[in-house]
């Protein structure tokens, strides 16, 4: 593939051919950043860099898989392909990898369980009871959110406790202390621990830090504007003395401040690395010029940004449609009918997206799509979150980590074994000798089954182990007797067997650990991997990194988008504006905007004003749509 550099524009080529030292690539929406990163990695290998010395970090499994696939395809084009491959991973998967390899230095077993959000919430409630904190007075979700934010900033429970002065922080500190103790006792980690504990390992064990710095000579980080403090710290600890770090990002697409992302990381990159080279990617390959002109006008009002203007050699394209409805139902009807018309004219349903600011907005849309018989898929129903999948994998978790109480609670009555809450409490408390003989026998049989599963996991392939669990636990038999719903769930479990075959090449035990890790680290976008035909519905946050031919942005009312509660501080209003910019730049061909004059929100009908963001777009770019129960709106 000798002509690969000819496929790049001048700024892309500049980024790809820069070899040593820090590099900042400011990549606008649709400017080909994934191509630039993958070609840069390929170019390094072409120049003699060992593939296994290259690390690439992304934010979603979907992005990591896409990058891995592209790099593999490029390497396959070489006549003498080098041995080894770059390590492509998300931040959290990288944390898991480091902790699996070296976590024993922190007292962690090689197989530690990873809690999902619901399991973390269960532990928080348990910790609140131990701390004598009333759930009615302090919402567990808010307490968990506070702990998560402080972990994301890099704080440990001891550091936070020593600084807690006010009442609520002291409550959080008390709950966190018990929560941390529970997790350590059960040898489990929550999502935030994957980063916090790996940073602790790298910071406090110089030999581990030196090992990874030597291993990964060239580090690439995508979506750098979305890193939080602990991810930033992990990056700094992994970079060796040569400072061969390449970060890619766009301040204008920083939309995760609410969960701890610190966009100043990308703004301060040149201060952190004074010799950094900066490359601006402004040519957009995705959208029409009309869409880009609107996007540039929207984002230009923000002050905290790298100055850039997107342009394209694509056609000007259609005007942006705007629709005003009386209420959310007529808005939904308009979107469903318009989407149906597009499909009837040959549009691919999966290339149509409906984006909204808040999840509650999907209800009216779904009702309208069902009424109009337009196929759709709501993003967020993840394969690994299905009950039957979590039930089966709970046996794996428990077989490999007998201290995993969440795994025990889920697995012990799948299928039902007549083991109630009182019995379970006695098992957890180590008081089994107080139970009746028949119940003790049931528990002994369950433990024997776990031992058999452990043996199979450690001696057979990953897919064979899943088949064994499906058959020997009685799950398969129960689902076969459970009608159509049971059949559908059984099909999902058989799909899990297919997924497991991806790990069959790994040594026994390791493949299963990787499968369970994948289960734990899935994101909303991973549900798009399921082959379901239909219009995609999702929040704007979930749409980050995706693109569609046709995009509807609904609910453009003041206080809904921009969202109420933002705007008191300038940076929050700027994040709302960035969120709208992200929504607009998802569209390739045609963009539809809509708002409702009244909307039912939390049980009361509210009158809405059009979003101020609409008025940032020049009138010449807009055209009014008409429909039932609406007036023609002129701008």
């Amino acid at each position: 593939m000798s002509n690969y550099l000819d496929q790049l524009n001048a700024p892309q080529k500049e980024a790809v051919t820069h070899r040593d030292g820090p590099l900042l690539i400011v990549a606008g929406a649709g400017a080909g950043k994934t191509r630039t990163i993958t070609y840069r990695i390929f170019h390094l290998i072409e120049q003699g860099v060992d593939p296994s010395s290259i690390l690439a970090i992304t934010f979603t499994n979907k992005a990591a898989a896409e990058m891995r696939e592209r790099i593999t395809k490029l390497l396959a084009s070489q006549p003498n392909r080098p041995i080894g491959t770059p390590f492509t991973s998300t931040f959290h998967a990288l944390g898991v990898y480091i902790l699996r390899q070296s976590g024993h230095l922190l007292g962690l077993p090689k197989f530690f369980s990873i809690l999902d959000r619901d399991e973390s919430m269960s532990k928080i409630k348990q910790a609140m009871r131990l701390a004598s904190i009333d759930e009615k007075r302090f919402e567990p979700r808010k307490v968990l959110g506070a702990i998560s934010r402080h972990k994301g900033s890099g704080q440990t429970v001891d550091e936070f406790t020593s600084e807690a002065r006010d009442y609520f922080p002291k409550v959080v500190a008390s709950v966190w202390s018990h929560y941390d103790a529970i997790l350590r006792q059960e040898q489990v980690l929550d999502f935030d621990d994957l980063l916090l504990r790996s940073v602790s390992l790298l910071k406090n064990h110089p030999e581990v830090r030196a090992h990874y710095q030597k291993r990964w000579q060239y580090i690439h980080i995508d979506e750098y504007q979305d890193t939080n403090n602990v991810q930033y710290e992990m990056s700094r600890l992994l970079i060796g003395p040569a400072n061969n770090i390449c970060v890619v990002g766009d301040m204008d697409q920083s939309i995760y401040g609410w969960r701890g992302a610190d966009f100043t990381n990308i703004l301060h990159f040149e201060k952190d690395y004074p010799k950094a080279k900066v490359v601006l990617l402004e040519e957009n390959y995705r959208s029409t010029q009309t869409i880009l002109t609107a996007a540039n006008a929207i984002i230009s009002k923000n002050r905290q940004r790298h100055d850039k203007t997107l342009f394209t050699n694509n056609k000007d394209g259609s005007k942006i449609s705007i629709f005003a409805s009386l209420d959310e139902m007529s808005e939904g009807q308009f979107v469903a009918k318009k989407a149906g018309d597009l499909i009837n004219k040959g549009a691919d349903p999966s290339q149509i997206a409906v984006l909204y600011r808040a999840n509650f907005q999907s209800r009216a849309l779904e009702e309208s799509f069902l009424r109009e018989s337009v196929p759709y898929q709501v993003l967020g129903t993840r394969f690994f979150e299905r009950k039957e999948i979590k039930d089966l994998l709970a046996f794996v978790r428990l077989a490999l980590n007998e201290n995993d109480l969440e795994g025990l609670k889920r697995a012990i009555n799948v299928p039902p074994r007549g083991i109630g809450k009182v019995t379970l409490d006695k098992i957890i408390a180590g008081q089994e000798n107080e139970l009746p003989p028949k119940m003790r026998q049931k528990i002994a049989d369950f433990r024997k089954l776990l031992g058999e599963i452990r043996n199979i996991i450690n001696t057979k392939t990953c897919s064979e182990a899943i088949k064994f669990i499906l058959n020997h636990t009685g799950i398969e038999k129960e689902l076969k007797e459970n009608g159509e719903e049971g059949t559908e769930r059984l099909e999902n479990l058989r799909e899990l067997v297919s997924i497991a075959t991806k790990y069959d090449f790994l040594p026994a035990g390791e493949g299963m650990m990787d499968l369970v890790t994948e289960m734990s680290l899935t994101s909303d976008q991973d549900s798009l991997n399921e082959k379901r035909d239909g219009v995609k519905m999702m929040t704007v946050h979930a749409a980050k990194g995706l693109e569609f031919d046709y995009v509807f942005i609904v609910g453009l009312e003041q206080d809904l988008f921009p969202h109420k509660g933002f705007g008191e501080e300038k940076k929050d209003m700027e994040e709302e504006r960035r969120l709208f910019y992200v929504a607009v730049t998802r569209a390739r061909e045609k963009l539809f905007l809509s708002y409702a004059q009244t909307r039912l929100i939390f049980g009361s009908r509210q009158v809405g004003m059009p979003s101020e963001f609409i008025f940032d777009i020049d009138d010449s770019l807009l055209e009014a749509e008409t429909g039932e129960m609406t007036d023609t709106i002129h701008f």
Side-chain angles (χ1 to χ4, degrees), residues 166-214:
D166 296 331
Y167 188 64
F168 182 67
K170 285 184 176 180
V171 168
V172 172
S174 176
V175 176
W176 189 355
S177 178
H178 287 287
Y179 178 66
D180 189 63
I182 293 166
L183 266 55
R184 288 178 185 275
Q185 181 183 347
E186 296 182 20
Q187 297 183 322
V188 297
L189 300 181
D190 67 14
F191 215 54
D192 300 302
D193 286 329
L194 300 177
L195 300 180
L196 192 63
R197 300 287 287 277
S198 52
V199 163
S200 173
L201 185 62
L202 292 167
K203 189 183 289 185
N204 298 317
H205 294 271
E207 73 285 2
V208 176
R209 185 168 68 248
H211 167 76
Y212 289 112
Q213 286 181 353
K214 185 178 178 182

Side-chain angles (χ1 to χ4, degrees), residues 123-150:
K123 300 298 182 193
I124 283 290
K125 290 177 179 178
Q126 183 184 344
M128 289 180 75
R129 289 192 293 271
L130 291 170
S132 301
I133 303 297
D134 186 359
E135 285 184 30
K136 292 179 181 176
R137 188 174 177 193
F138 298 98
E139 190 181 338
R141 195 169 299 279
K142 287 186 178 179
V143 176
L144 178 58
I147 292 170
S148 180
R149 282 194 303 276
H150 286 287

